[in-house]
Amino acid sequence: MEYFVQQLINGLTLGSIYGLIAIGYTMVYGIIGMINFAHGDIFMIGSFIALATFLILTTVFGFVFLPVVLLIVLIVAMLFTSAWGWTVERLAYRPLRGSFRLAPLITAIGMSIVLQNFVQVTQGARNKPIPPQIQGGITIMEGMTENGRIAVQLSYMQMIIIATTVLLMIGFTLLITKTPLGRAQRACEQDRKMAALLGVNVDRTISLTFVMGAALASVAGLMFLLLYGVIDFYIGFLAGVKAFTAAVLGGIGSLPGAMLGGLLIGLIEVFWSGYFTIEYKDVAAFSILAIVLIFMPSGLLGKPEVEKV
């Protein structure tokens, strides 16, 4: 029982990071109907910006009070990553918005490769480690197993990740449902031409959607850096594929579905690694995705598209 609870905590922590990245995929798809395959690399850039800012604050300026340092790092990472997201949308996607459907997809893949290689050339291909910053935790329960005594630990870092994810999810839900920007986004999702005729600035709404998704990805990048303590230029591809899988599993276009899919992917990976073998954790996640889509083609919380005649 103790081992199960520990793996459950680990899975929820990993799934929270996947869910934050998946929200960026599902928001963009919901409005313009395209998959932003460069979104995983925006997450990677956010983690590198967070690392660079942290090192500058601690080594150059000598900041030592960790809460203030992490707050500044988070704000800087969100600002710069949001600027990256806006730039990618403005240069790579907006000129092709009226083109055939494969053009933005090819551009997204190309932009992903460009961002990967840009970071590889400028930062190097080696892993970038960082010492553990938030240590300690609480012991939830203890028990005996055949291998000895086991204690279920909930680290402070895991608490921060889960709490941050819950707060961001509540905040984004309120933003989408209660604010003028959220109404504009929902209007563009239903019919962009009609929304434009009714006075909605479609270009501005789409750009802000990319900015919001990139900001969430930067939060996930900072949490990934603090949790694992090492990053490289390739983490964006791996995390992006997992987050895209989570968005599809939960129902592409649904914010709660993206978060639910992220949590499920994280739980599947952790439980499979813990009880079976770590080599096939990705096989297990994609197999369950395939099974779900066979019986629920729109995902767990997705709505089937109805084409008007």
Side-chain angles (χ1 to χ4, degrees):
M1 180 62 182
E2 291 79 10
Y3 187 72
F4 174 85
V5 175
Q6 185 65 70
Q7 298 304 323
L8 177 65
I9 294 172
N10 298 338
L12 290 176
T13 305
L14 179 61
S16 298
I17 296 176
Y18 287 158
L20 286 179
I21 307 173
I23 288 176
Y25 280 106
T26 203
M27 287 175 63
V28 171
Y29 182 86
I31 290 184
I32 61 177
M34 66 158 284
I35 302 297
N36 179 17
F37 279 112
H39 188 65
D41 299 284
I42 295 292
F43 153 80
M44 177 265 296
I45 286 177
S47 64
F48 270 90
I49 293 174
L51 175 61
T53 307
F54 179 84
L55 293 177
I56 291 172
L57 289 175
T58 54
T59 59
V60 178
F61 294 101
F63 283 41
V64 294
F65 189 54
L66 190 61
V68 174
V69 171
L70 293 181
L71 180 61
I72 296 174
V73 168
L74 178 62
I75 293 173
V76 172
M78 291 180 70
L79 289 175
F80 278 90
T81 311
S82 298
W84 272 100
W86 180 86
T87 303
V88 168
E89 189 276 334
R90 187 67 182 85
L91 297 181
Y93 299 146
R94 185 180 296 184
L96 299 174
R97 197 174 296 159
S99 182
F100 61 99
R101 292 181 66 88
L102 278 180
L105 178 64
I106 296 170
T107 304
I109 296 173
M111 184 57 64
S112 173
I113 297 172
V114 167
L115 294 178
Q116 274 188 38
N117 285 273
F118 171 76
V119 173
Q120 182 183 10
V121 170
T122 56
Q123 302 298 320
R126 293 184 177 180
N127 293 341
K128 302 294 185 293
I130 185 175
Q133 301 300 318
I134 302 176
Q135 303 184 40
I138 60 174
T139 300
I140 299 177
M141 57 193 297
E142 294 182 353
M144 293 296 296
T145 65
E146 58 184 11
N147 296 322
R149 193 171 189 83
I150 183 173
V152 178
Q153 295 281 338
L154 178 61
S155 69
Y156 295 133
M157 189 65 236
Q158 290 174 322
M159 294 183 199
I160 292 172
I161 290 175
I162 295 174
T164 303
T165 302
V166 171
L167 291 176
L168 287 174
M169 190 64 199
I170 293 173
F172 262 76
T173 301
L174 293 176
L175 186 147
I176 296 297
T177 57
K178 302 293 185 181
T179 65
L181 174 60
R183 287 192 292 271
Q185 288 177 319
R186 285 182 282 131
C188 292
E189 179 181 0
Q190 293 180 4
D191 193 326
R192 273 184 287 161
K193 290 184 179 179
M194 182 57 69
L197 291 173
L198 294 175
V200 175
N201 190 330
V202 175
D203 288 338
R204 175 176 170 271
T205 302
I206 293 175
S207 294
L208 287 176
T209 301
F210 273 84
V211 167
M212 291 162 58
L216 279 180
S218 69
V219 176
L222 174 59
M223 293 193 299
F224 184 93
L225 173 65
L226 294 175
L227 180 64
Y228 293 105
V230 62
I231 57 174
D232 59 54
F233 74 97
Y234 203 63
I235 62 169
F237 175 78
L238 297 175
V241 170
K242 302 288 180 60
F244 173 64
T245 304
V248 175
L249 178 62
I252 193 79
S254 168
L255 291 184
M259 185 54 65
L260 175 62
L263 293 175
L264 288 177
I265 293 295
L267 289 170
I268 291 168
E269 284 193 11
V270 170
F271 276 114
W272 190 274
S273 301
Y275 284 98
F276 299 103
T277 173
I278 193 172
E279 285 83 3
Y280 294 100
K281 61 184 178 70
D282 294 338
V283 175
F286 287 111
S287 298
I288 292 179
L289 170 67
I291 294 171
V292 169
L293 292 181
I294 288 173
F295 296 100
M296 304 176 69
S298 300
L300 295 174
L301 299 182
K303 297 178 181 178
E305 290 190 5
V306 179
E307 188 170 336
K308 297 178 181 180
V309 180

